[in-house]
Amino acid sequence: MRRAIDLARRTSIVDKSGGPFGCVIVKDGSIVGEGANSVLADGDPTCHGEMNAIRHACTTLGTHDLSGCIVYTTGEPCPMCYGALWWARVEAIYYASTIQDAKEFGDFDDMPIYEAVKNPIEKRRLAGSELLRDEMIPLWREFQAMPNHPEY
């Protein structure tokens, strides 16, 4: 966690390239990935510390599956990062500050997103609308029937 905090300090205070968010991913006692928030530096809203650490760990390990990995992150993961960590199959998440801390000290507000995803997509603030499902379902059926289709 101290390494994650060091990364957060560098990205936010020293480099001013993003908020104070750092992340380290450990497997079998060794760091396999690390990252810091680089949203401003990269001009990419997905470049959160966890997302950058996931990308680094996946490259290091040569797989999208981070089973057995432990995550140390300076902030309780936002919905995007939590989802990515879930899909990556990490074993555990440890965080040094809460989403309430991020709101209080940095005006980062994840709660509206957490609340929105509780609703059907068509009722969210950023609503979604179904389009061309009748053209997509045949592709799903083809994928499903394909021998040895990719498994995640």
Short mmCIF file of all heavy atoms in Angstrom, two decimals, residues 26 28 70 107 116-117 119 123 151:
data_model
loop_
_atom_site.label_atom_id
_atom_site.label_comp_id
_atom_site.label_asym_id
_atom_site.label_seq_id
_atom_site.Cartn_x
_atom_site.Cartn_y
_atom_site.Cartn_z
N VAL A 26 -0.30 -7.35 -6.74
CA VAL A 26 0.69 -8.30 -6.24
C VAL A 26 0.21 -9.72 -6.48
O VAL A 26 -0.96 -10.04 -6.28
CB VAL A 26 0.92 -8.07 -4.72
CG1 VAL A 26 1.83 -9.13 -4.13
CG2 VAL A 26 1.48 -6.67 -4.48
N ASP A 28 1.72 -13.70 -5.60
CA ASP A 28 2.74 -14.53 -4.95
C ASP A 28 3.83 -13.69 -4.30
O ASP A 28 5.02 -14.00 -4.37
CB ASP A 28 3.36 -15.51 -5.96
CG ASP A 28 2.33 -16.47 -6.55
OD1 ASP A 28 1.39 -16.84 -5.83
OD2 ASP A 28 2.47 -16.82 -7.75
N ILE A 70 -3.65 -9.74 -5.63
CA ILE A 70 -4.17 -8.85 -4.59
C ILE A 70 -3.94 -7.42 -5.06
O ILE A 70 -2.87 -7.08 -5.55
CB ILE A 70 -3.43 -9.07 -3.25
CG1 ILE A 70 -3.44 -10.55 -2.85
CG2 ILE A 70 -4.00 -8.18 -2.15
CD1 ILE A 70 -4.78 -11.13 -2.56
N ASP A 107 -13.45 16.36 -4.40
CA ASP A 107 -14.68 16.54 -5.17
C ASP A 107 -14.85 15.50 -6.28
O ASP A 107 -15.41 15.77 -7.32
CB ASP A 107 -14.77 17.96 -5.74
CG ASP A 107 -16.23 18.36 -6.02
OD1 ASP A 107 -17.13 17.84 -5.33
OD2 ASP A 107 -16.45 19.17 -6.94
N ALA A 116 -26.87 5.10 -10.27
CA ALA A 116 -27.43 4.95 -11.61
C ALA A 116 -27.46 3.50 -12.07
O ALA A 116 -28.45 3.07 -12.67
CB ALA A 116 -26.63 5.80 -12.61
N VAL A 117 -26.40 2.76 -11.79
CA VAL A 117 -26.35 1.39 -12.30
C VAL A 117 -27.35 0.46 -11.60
O VAL A 117 -27.56 -0.65 -12.05
CB VAL A 117 -24.93 0.78 -12.28
CG1 VAL A 117 -24.01 1.55 -13.22
CG2 VAL A 117 -24.35 0.72 -10.89
N ASN A 119 -30.43 1.12 -11.65
CA ASN A 119 -31.62 1.27 -12.48
C ASN A 119 -31.45 0.60 -13.83
O ASN A 119 -30.32 0.47 -14.32
CB ASN A 119 -31.92 2.76 -12.70
CG ASN A 119 -32.21 3.48 -11.42
OD1 ASN A 119 -32.98 3.01 -10.59
ND2 ASN A 119 -31.59 4.63 -11.23
N LYS A 123 -33.48 4.05 -17.85
CA LYS A 123 -33.93 5.01 -16.84
C LYS A 123 -32.78 5.74 -16.15
O LYS A 123 -32.99 6.48 -15.20
CB LYS A 123 -34.79 4.29 -15.80
CG LYS A 123 -36.07 3.71 -16.37
CD LYS A 123 -36.97 3.21 -15.28
CE LYS A 123 -38.15 2.48 -15.83
NZ LYS A 123 -39.18 3.29 -16.39
N GLU A 151 -13.37 -18.30 -24.48
CA GLU A 151 -13.92 -18.26 -23.12
C GLU A 151 -13.19 -17.17 -22.33
O GLU A 151 -11.98 -17.00 -22.50
CB GLU A 151 -13.70 -19.61 -22.41
CG GLU A 151 -14.43 -20.78 -23.04
CD GLU A 151 -15.92 -20.78 -22.78
OE1 GLU A 151 -16.36 -20.19 -21.78
OE2 GLU A 151 -16.66 -21.36 -23.60
#
